[in-house]
Amino acid sequence: MIINKTKFITGLILLMTVLLIITGCESSKAGLDSKGTIKIGYQKGNTINILKESGFLEEALEKEGYKVEWKLFTHGGTLLEGIYSKSIDFGHAADGSGIFAQASGKPLVYVGADAPNPEGVGLMVLKDSGIQSIEQLKDKKVGVLKGGNHHYLAVLALESVGLSAEDVQWIYPEDAAQGRSLFETKEVDALASYDPFFAGIETEIETHTLTEGVEYGYPNRTFYYSTPDFSKDHPELVKTIIEAIDKSDQWANENKDEVTKLLSKALGIDEPIIARAVERRTYGATPITQEIIDAQQKQADKYFEIGLIPSKLDVSKDMPIK
């Protein structure tokens, strides 16, 4: 009886060990969810929206036994909340959104970046405003979405002519539509905006873009983010996703008419407006590099300097170079 009991216990231990090994192997996939599904967050009109329509990611992951679940978010802030809560594994949001998230201690990892898009933001005035230069904005009202890429551009533009962020009165609309309304009704003297809303105002209103053709050293990149667990446990999947995005982006560069139609339908914005934004953009996705970190650090330093974030930030702690 003693021998039988010992054999039983030994066998039970061996069985439990095997089960743990199997469970451990499955958990590399089940870390995503119990079905091996990767949850991707996207916003209408961005590069992941194009990726979703292309089917390139499903094609790349199918042979590895993974599925993709797409989740739509209204803007970068809500998408990053999906990262914090782990309702998604991977998503796309603007540079400023990442800085604010890091400043508040939110758990995320930068895993890739878009190609620069400096022409996708601008600071403009109405043609009949009498304002011809950035210097003339001193003591004027400037509308921006607080902390947005266009806000940063506006600050750089002011500094380029010897002004500071304190030399204008910042007006913070709730969204791009309200910003346009304030601009059209002359409740602000100048408006900074971002594509496709920037392109819409340029196309439909008589404006003068004060920053057009000027180099401010701002790449205007948006970023790809993941949860820390997903980045740590599935680096090969992160690499596969970035490569699929870049494949989709290269397709977009070669098929801008089709991209225009796709984004026009997704956003409900007329094709001529979308075409203006698409034509001046070069699509592409890359891993994080030191150059990308340096540009993001410069932006974070400026946000601290002008009081947008409460303390100095080291962006590199969440931006590993692969």
Side-chain angles (χ1 to χ4, degrees):
M1 290 295 293
I2 295 174
I3 294 173
N4 289 341
K5 184 176 181 181
T6 301
K7 287 182 177 179
F8 174 76
I9 292 172
T10 302
L12 183 61
I13 291 171
L14 288 171
L15 177 61
M16 290 177 66
T17 301
V18 170
L19 287 173
L20 284 171
I21 292 170
I22 293 171
T23 303
C25 293
E26 286 296 322
S27 69
S28 66
K29 180 181 288 189
L32 308 171
D33 70 9
S34 60
K35 299 178 182 178
T37 300
I38 302 171
K39 298 179 287 295
I40 306 288
Y42 74 102
Q43 304 166 59
K44 282 186 178 181
N46 71 15
T47 53
I48 295 187
N49 194 168
I50 299 172
L51 175 68
K52 176 179 179 291
E53 298 302 322
S54 74
F56 290 148
L57 184 57
E58 285 87 347
E59 180 183 324
L61 292 174
E62 185 178 9
K63 57 188 175 184
E64 303 294 334
Y66 292 96
K67 296 180 180 180
V68 181
E69 179 182 340
W70 301 95
K71 294 193 175 185
L72 176 63
F73 292 85
T74 55
H75 56 77
T78 57
L79 188 148
L80 289 182
E81 287 175 9
I83 294 284
Y84 318 147
S85 66
K86 297 185 179 180
S87 67
I88 57 173
D89 303 301
F90 185 101
H92 188 199
D95 45 21
S97 298
I99 289 170
F100 282 118
Q102 287 185 281
S104 60
K106 301 297 186 181
L108 55 74
V109 179
Y110 295 74
V111 293
D114 276 344
N117 183 27
E119 294 182 340
V121 286
L123 174 63
M124 59 197 140
V125 293
L126 294 171
K127 271 198 174 177
D128 63 2
S129 67
I131 298 172
Q132 298 295 319
S133 67
I134 293 169
E135 289 90 339
Q136 291 177 282
L137 293 179
K138 184 175 171 62
D139 299 323
K140 296 291 195 297
K141 294 179 180 179
V142 179
V144 297
L145 300 190
K146 190 174 184 179
N149 52 0
H150 54 294
H151 188 180
Y152 181 51
L153 174 74
V155 171
L156 295 179
L158 291 169
E159 292 180 347
S160 74
V161 297
L163 298 177
S164 74
E166 296 180 352
D167 286 322
V168 301
Q169 181 181 347
W170 298 104
I171 304 297
Y172 299 126
E174 292 183 3
D175 54 33
Q178 186 183 46
R180 173 169 174 163
S181 176
L182 293 173
F183 184 57
E184 287 190 85
T185 57
K186 301 185 179 181
E187 293 177 67
V188 295
D189 301 290
L191 180 70
S193 192
Y194 58 99
D195 278 340
F197 306 103
F198 174 38
I201 295 170
E202 286 183 305
T203 301
E204 297 177 341
I205 303 174
E206 290 290 318
T207 65
H208 172 53
T209 301
L210 299 174
T211 53
E212 187 172 3
V214 183
E215 174 58 55
Y216 295 102
Y218 173 44
N220 185 31
R221 294 180 186 270
T222 48
F223 288 93
Y224 299 100
Y225 303 88
S226 80
T227 65
D229 287 346
F230 186 73
S231 175
K232 178 183 176 182
D233 297 341
H234 304 283
E236 76 291 347
L237 291 181
V238 170
K239 183 174 183 290
T240 296
I241 295 169
I242 296 297
E243 288 175 348
I245 293 169
D246 190 57
K247 181 179 179 180
S248 175
D249 282 352
Q250 299 314 316
W251 173 87
N253 287 330
E254 297 169 2
N255 297 275
K256 290 196 169 182
D257 287 346
E258 290 185 51
V259 173
T260 295
K261 292 175 182 176
L262 167 68
L263 299 186
S264 175
K265 182 179 179 180
L267 295 170
I269 297 176
D270 292 344
E271 286 190 19
I273 293 171
I274 297 298
R276 186 180 183 95
V278 168
E279 285 300 325
R280 63 187 173 198
R281 179 172 187 176
T282 300
Y283 293 95
T286 66
I288 299 299
T289 65
Q290 189 60 51
E291 179 184 4
I292 291 171
I293 293 173
D294 291 344
Q296 186 74 341
Q297 185 64 56
K298 180 181 177 183
Q299 187 171 346
D301 290 344
K302 184 59 63 178
Y303 278 20
F304 170 63
E305 181 185 321
I306 64 177
L308 291 179
I309 57 176
S311 58
K312 199 165 178 62
L313 177 66
D314 177 10
V315 300
S316 68
K317 68 184 182 68
D318 298 313
M319 298 183 77
I321 296 175
K322 298 295 185 182

